[in-house]
Amino acid sequence: MASKGKKAPPRKKRKTDAFISHSSANAAEAARVERALESDGLTVWVDLSQIRAGRLLRNELRAALGDSRAVVLLWSKAAAKSRWVAAEILTAFHMDRFVIACACDKTPLPYFLQSTIYLKLEPRKTGWKQYLRRAIRQAPDAANQVPDKIGGMTASLQKTIAQLALEQKVVTDGADRDDLEGARKAQLVADPAMKAAEKAWPLEAMILNLAGYHRKNAYMLKHWPAIMAGRPPKDPLLDRAEHYFYESLFVDPNDYSALNGLGSILFYERELDAAEFVIRRAILLAETAGVNYPAAQHDLQLVQTFKARNLN
């Protein structure tokens, strides 16, 4: 008699069936989806406030996603510009939650989701309700599969990346030695080459990451006294740096360089728990790829040091 195969482990029971990720501009669509799901017995988490960033802190975000079995992404032109929607999508991915994409308009989905089947929300039709309910109930206990990478690097691109990375290391090493004057000079030297690389290779992931780190370093040098005093200020430089990291992660959410860069932004925003979560993911993914990542280890140690100070 053939032996019976092992039963699949039971799905972990979550408090919520679906977390609805959306821009406040799509609050009406979110409310419509919420009603459609709850009328069929599904439990939903959705924030319908108009000032979402003021209510949804990152720790609450991770808690809500952790309690949800799947994520319903309402994608639109407004969602594509929302840093909070970006944070929700990528946090969901790295918490192993499956994302069900729903298009509110013709805006292209994040690149890593473009190969998945998605739903068009059409208010005048009702077929989407049945499809979405079924998709949530059948969602796998895993994140979406990332498409295989294709493409390559020319010798010129490789040389540019290596040179930019070296120049940025001079900047950060100078800051670590309290040689701010030297670090600022090195930042000025790197600036023209960075701008030229962004113009020549606007879609290349490593150039995007280096562009993000370049802005992060500019922020660090500009506000060094305030940072050392534990009062890092708001500055558009951080927003621009974050934008580059998200652009890279929307292509490959497992890009550990972009993840660590995002962690550094969260650190300056004093979101230490979120920074630790993201940086730990970067280190794990680098180790999985067989890469030693001392810069991320350094950043993790820095975050943990500040967390320990806050506990004392």
Side-chain angles (χ1 to χ4, degrees):
M1 179 183 292
S3 60
K4 295 182 178 179
K6 293 183 180 180
K7 292 183 178 180
R11 295 168 71 101
K12 184 176 180 179
K13 180 65 176 176
R14 311 276 181 198
K15 293 180 181 178
T16 307
D17 290 304
F19 177 110
I20 300 179
S21 175
H22 70 290
S23 162
S24 59
N26 299 117
E29 289 90 338
R32 188 181 303 119
V33 169
E34 180 186 24
R35 290 193 298 271
L37 298 181
E38 290 185 340
S39 68
D40 201 48
L42 292 168
T43 53
V44 178
W45 196 100
V46 59
D47 177 13
L48 292 176
S49 69
Q50 292 300 310
I51 310 176
R52 305 193 66 226
R55 290 188 54 188
L56 186 58
L57 300 178
R58 293 186 191 264
N59 285 348
E60 295 174 357
L61 164 66
R62 287 191 293 124
L65 284 166
D67 285 338
S68 301
R69 198 159 57 80
V71 175
V72 175
L73 168 62
L74 304 188
W75 192 247
S76 66
K77 184 177 181 180
K81 296 179 180 179
S82 169
R83 66 193 298 257
W84 286 96
V85 172
E88 289 165 1
I89 299 169
L90 292 166
T91 301
F93 179 88
H94 288 286
M95 294 186 75
D96 230 18
R97 298 298 183 269
F98 191 79
V99 176
I100 302 165
C102 300
C104 298
D105 57 29
K106 295 182 179 180
T107 304
L109 289 168
Y111 194 81
F112 82 97
L113 292 174
Q114 287 182 8
S115 297
T116 64
I117 298 175
Y118 67 94
L119 172 68
K120 292 182 180 179
L121 285 184
E122 299 175 294
R124 297 181 181 180
K125 299 181 180 179
T126 60
W128 63 268
K129 298 180 182 180
Q130 183 178 359
Y131 173 89
L132 184 55
R133 293 161 181 163
R134 183 171 65 250
I136 291 169
R137 289 190 167 98
Q138 296 177 356
D141 264 342
N144 303 66
Q145 185 175 356
V146 178
D148 293 333
K149 295 181 183 178
I150 59 173
M153 290 189 186
T154 63
S156 176
L157 174 57
Q158 290 176 337
K159 182 179 178 181
T160 299
I161 289 172
Q163 183 61 36
L164 289 171
L166 181 61
E167 290 173 351
Q168 291 190 1
K169 190 174 187 304
V170 173
V171 173
T172 54
D173 285 352
D176 287 341
R177 295 193 309 269
D178 288 330
D179 179 14
L180 295 184
E181 183 179 353
R184 290 187 177 111
K185 287 180 179 178
Q187 179 77 1
L188 288 174
V189 169
D191 195 57
M194 188 70 253
K195 290 178 180 176
E198 292 172 40
K199 185 176 180 179
W201 297 284
L203 301 178
E204 171 57 43
M206 274 308 300
I207 296 298
L208 292 172
N209 293 344
L210 289 165
Y213 281 110
H214 187 70
R215 272 73 176 179
K216 185 270 295 183
N217 290 341
Y219 171 89
M220 173 185 69
L221 295 173
K222 180 180 177 182
H223 298 292
W224 186 263
I227 293 169
M228 291 298 99
R231 299 169 62 182
K234 297 285 187 181
D235 192 303
L237 279 169
L238 279 188
D239 296 335
R240 291 199 289 271
E242 182 186 66
H243 170 78
Y244 282 110
F245 294 132
Y246 276 142
E247 188 173 349
S248 185
L249 289 165
F250 269 11
V251 176
D252 179 9
N254 289 320
D255 186 328
Y256 49 81
S257 176
L259 276 173
N260 190 60
L262 184 58
S264 67
I265 302 302
L266 292 168
F267 170 76
Y268 287 128
E269 291 180 339
R270 294 174 292 174
E271 295 277 7
L272 298 184
D273 288 337
E276 181 175 7
F277 171 76
V278 171
I279 294 170
R280 283 188 180 278
R281 285 293 300 169
I283 293 170
L284 176 62
L285 289 166
E287 290 176 348
T288 301
V291 174
N292 184 31
Y293 202 172
Q297 295 284 358
H298 173 272
D299 291 345
L300 177 61
Q301 185 177 17
L302 187 64
V303 170
Q304 291 175 327
T305 298
F306 277 84
K307 285 184 69 175
R309 289 180 186 175
N310 291 337
L311 292 175
N312 296 330

